[in-house]
């Protein structure tokens, strides 16, 4: 039942926002968590598979006035993708993440809500019939600029993937420009994504920028490091993460291992793509799979790497590692979503040569004090810009002003 003391807010999610296992889930859950303080929140989401019955969903469902989930099979999603692209002139993913049953629910209940939040560009299609309804406030959290993400992936991919990214990128550019120009208010996860939407695509809007807060996984100041160990964390069927690990193992890893023959590369993250699973055949590489709480592994490693060469938005893997006081080495793409960096909080390698040199230097025992100092600066940086209270205030201001 709806809470009559609060305004009703409808939140549309393209996937289950809980349990929190990836950047998109962090994003969706934090908005639900914070907005439920002031609104009676109804969440609608799509699911493709049976949920894990062992997962306690009450941290999510307990914050909501109502939760409705809608099942769409993978075969139906593929068919709808083709219809969207061939007959509707839309990106394929607008069909892939569409449910007629969910649309019927919205149509039957929309008058009960004063505000609607679309989480990701993939859910804005449900609001097409209502974009011109003056009494309904429609908000869009695009999270990332998807056209930017796909254009970066187009540059680094090959074969069929490159063809699909190129096709989707052209359609998505027009779709994002239209959507951001028509909603009441919008928000993105970084300044880079905002500038791409407003300047590159030319959308007539002024999106807010709200980061994700850093989840407190449990920082331990005196965690003992395992020498000559580097770690990467991410959802390992996500194209930018796959690209990053393939790039790193093909162009960087062997050279650094010549200097440190005992070097270990840990890869943390579930749903590993076949090409990632094959990396376990390389000497020193270990795939951990999904880890419920990765804080101990991250803090035990000498270095955390994020050698991103594609993607967009904020790299949550970097934020989480910095919150744990880790020394992080990344690329300009990886650091691009971070704000107000001074150069003391993490290491940015501009090219392959710098990546090798930085890794060799910071793996050394002589760099212990540098790593320690950088970890302290990283934690201070996260507390300043990515704390729960900072992000909470930004989200509530976005909705209430």
């Amino acid at each position: 039942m709806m809470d009559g003391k609060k305004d009703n807010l409808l939140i549309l999610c393209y996937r289950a926002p809980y349990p929190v296992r990836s950047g998109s889930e962090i994003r969706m859950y934090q908005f639900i968590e914070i907005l439920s303080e002031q609104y009676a929140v109804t969440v609608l989401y799509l699911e493709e598979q049976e949920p894990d019955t062992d997962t306690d969903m009450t941290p999510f469902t307990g914050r909501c006035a109502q939760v409705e989930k809608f099942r769409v099979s993978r075969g139906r999603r593929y068919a709808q993708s083709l219809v969207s692209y061939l007959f509707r002139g839309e990106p394929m993913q607008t069909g892939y993440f569409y449910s007629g049953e969910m649309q019927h629910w919205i149509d039957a209940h929309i008058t009960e809500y004063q505000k609607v939040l679309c989480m990701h560009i993939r859910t804005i299609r449900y609001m097409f019939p209502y974009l011109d309804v003056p009494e309904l406030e429609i908000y869009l959290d695009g999270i990332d600029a998807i056209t930017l993400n796909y254009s970066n992936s187009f540059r680094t991919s090959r074969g069929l993937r490159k063809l699909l990214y190129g096709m989707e990128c052209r359609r998505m550019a027009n779709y994002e420009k239209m959507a951001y120009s028509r909603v009441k208010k919008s928000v993105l996860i970084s300044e880079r994504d905002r500038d791409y939407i407003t300047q590159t695509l030319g959308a007539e809007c002024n999106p807010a920028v709200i980061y994700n807060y850093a989840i407190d996984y449990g920082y331990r100041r005196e965690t003992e490091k395992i020498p000559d160990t580097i770690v990467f964390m991410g959802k390992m069927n996500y194209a930018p993460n796959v690209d990053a690990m393939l790039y790193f193992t093909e162009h960087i890893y062997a050279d650094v291992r010549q200097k440190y023959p005992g070097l270990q590369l840990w890869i943390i993250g579930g749903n590993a793509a076949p090409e990632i699973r094959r990396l376990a055949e390389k000497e020193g590489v270990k795939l951990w799979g999904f880890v419920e709480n990765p804080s101990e592994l991250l803090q035990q490693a000498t270095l955390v790497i994020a050698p991103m060469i594609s993607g967009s938005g904020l790299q949550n893997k970097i934020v989480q590692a910095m919150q744990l006081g880790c020394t992080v080495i990344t690329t300009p793409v990886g650091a691009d979503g971070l704000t107000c960096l001074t150069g003391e909080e993490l290491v940015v390698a501009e090219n392959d040569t710098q990546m090798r040199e930085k890794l060799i230097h910071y793996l050394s025992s002589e760099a212990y004090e540098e790593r320690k100092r950088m970890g302290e600066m990283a934690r201070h940086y996260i507390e300043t810009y990515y704390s729960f209270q900072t992000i909470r205030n930004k989200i509530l201001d976005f909705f209430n002003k």
Side-chain angles (χ1 to χ4, degrees):
M1 297 296 292
M2 297 299 180
D3 184 349
K5 297 180 181 180
K6 298 179 179 179
D7 284 346
N8 295 332
L9 169 64
L10 179 62
I11 300 181
L12 309 180
C13 300
Y14 72 99
R15 63 190 298 178
Y18 196 87
V20 175
R21 294 177 174 173
S22 69
S24 61
E25 290 153 2
I26 291 172
R27 184 68 168 189
M28 291 186 286
Y29 182 72
Q30 78 170 17
F31 269 79
I32 293 166
E33 176 186 22
I34 292 167
L35 291 171
S36 64
E37 296 177 16
Q38 297 187 1
Y39 293 89
V41 171
T42 294
V43 176
L44 310 185
Y45 70 87
L46 297 181
E47 65 177 10
E48 187 175 290
Q49 300 174 341
E50 287 285 351
D52 184 354
T53 55
D54 294 331
T55 300
D56 179 13
M57 298 292 284
T58 53
F60 160 53
T61 57
R63 300 181 183 278
C64 303
Q66 189 173 352
V67 175
E68 300 286 344
K69 57 186 177 182
F70 302 88
R71 179 76 53 80
V72 183
S73 69
R74 183 167 297 181
R76 184 177 172 187
R77 287 174 184 252
Y78 288 143
Q80 291 178 168
S81 298
L82 289 175
V83 170
S84 290
Y85 192 84
L86 296 175
F87 301 107
R88 293 179 58 90
E90 296 177 354
M92 286 178 277
Q93 60 190 280
T94 64
Y96 190 86
F97 293 100
Y98 186 78
S99 162
E101 186 181 359
M102 184 165 158
Q103 184 73 67
H104 292 323
W105 193 101
I106 293 169
D107 295 341
H109 296 276
I110 192 66
T111 56
E112 302 170 19
Y113 298 91
Q114 294 78 41
K115 297 181 179 182
V116 179
L117 171 60
C118 296
M119 297 299 303
H120 206 285
I121 193 72
R122 293 165 178 164
T123 63
I124 191 64
R125 178 177 168 184
Y126 294 103
M127 287 293 102
F128 280 180
Y130 308 104
L131 288 173
D132 296 318
V133 176
E135 60 270 20
L136 182 65
E137 297 181 6
I138 299 174
Y139 299 76
L140 171 61
D141 179 10
I143 310 178
D144 304 339
I146 301 303
T147 308
L148 173 60
N149 190 330
Y150 283 13
S151 63
N152 287 336
S153 294
F154 174 78
R155 289 188 294 101
T156 59
S157 58
R158 296 185 292 269
L160 180 60
R161 278 181 59 190
K162 190 176 189 73
L163 174 64
L164 291 174
Y165 277 126
M167 293 167 58
E168 192 75 344
C169 192
R170 289 187 290 272
R171 288 284 176 88
M172 184 55 73
N174 293 327
Y175 194 79
E176 283 194 304
K177 179 179 179 180
M178 175 277 299
Y180 283 94
S181 298
R182 295 196 62 189
V183 296
K184 176 180 174 63
K185 293 177 74 175
S186 56
V187 57
L188 288 153
I189 202 167
S190 78
E191 287 81 359
R192 181 193 184 203
D193 293 85
R194 176 201 60 199
D195 293 345
Y196 190 87
I197 292 294
T198 58
Q199 298 175 18
T200 305
L201 297 187
E204 297 179 1
C205 59
N206 184 26
V209 173
I210 301 177
Y211 317 122
N212 288 350
Y213 66 76
I215 297 173
D216 186 0
Y217 281 122
Y219 169 66
R220 293 189 299 172
R221 181 180 295 275
E222 301 303 326
T223 299
E224 185 175 353
K225 299 290 186 182
I226 298 177
D228 302 348
T229 304
I230 54 180
V231 60
F232 177 86
M233 179 176 71
K235 189 176 180 182
M236 294 315 303
N237 62 351
Y238 178 52
N241 290 337
V242 174
D243 291 342
M245 280 295 89
L246 295 181
Y247 152 73
F248 183 80
T249 53
E250 289 174 10
H251 299 281
I252 307 297
Y253 179 64
D255 292 337
V256 179
R257 211 162 194 276
Q258 285 186 345
K259 177 70 175 178
Y260 297 95
L263 182 66
Q264 298 180 63
L265 169 60
W266 296 347
I267 302 176
I268 302 172
N271 302 316
E275 53 265 55
I276 295 299
R277 292 198 296 270
R278 286 194 289 271
L279 293 181
E281 300 170 6
K282 290 181 177 288
E283 190 172 2
V285 177
K286 179 173 182 177
L287 304 186
W288 286 88
F290 172 73
V291 177
E292 188 71 40
N293 185 341
S295 63
E296 185 173 358
L297 292 175
L298 290 170
Q299 291 178 94
Q300 285 178 340
T302 313
L303 301 172
V304 174
I305 59 169
M308 313 308 295
I309 59 173
S310 63
S312 61
L314 176 70
Q315 299 296 326
N316 290 284
K317 59 179 70 65
I318 295 178
V319 172
Q320 297 305 145
M322 293 174 72
Q323 191 272 338
L324 292 168
C326 302
T327 303
V328 179
I329 298 183
T330 188
T331 60
V333 173
D336 212 11
L338 299 167
T339 187
C340 300
L341 290 170
T342 66
E344 298 181 290
E345 307 90 350
L346 80 170
V347 179
V348 180
E350 299 286 342
N351 50 49
D352 292 5
T353 300
Q354 282 195 13
M355 178 65 73
R356 297 184 193 98
E357 291 174 349
K358 299 294 186 183
L359 282 164
I360 289 170
H361 171 73
Y362 283 100
L363 281 167
S364 70
S365 57
E366 290 80 8
Y368 170 78
E369 290 298 333
E370 288 182 74
R371 294 196 303 265
K372 183 178 178 180
R373 172 63 176 166
M374 188 169 293
E376 292 170 352
M377 295 298 293
R379 278 185 57 77
H380 176 71
Y381 172 81
I382 295 301
E383 290 168 1
T384 301
Y385 295 103
Y386 298 89
S387 69
F388 173 82
Q389 194 59 45
T390 297
I391 303 307
R392 175 187 178 274
N393 292 341
K394 287 180 178 290
I395 289 175
L396 294 178
D397 285 349
F398 172 73
F399 267 80
N400 296 330
K401 287 186 178 179

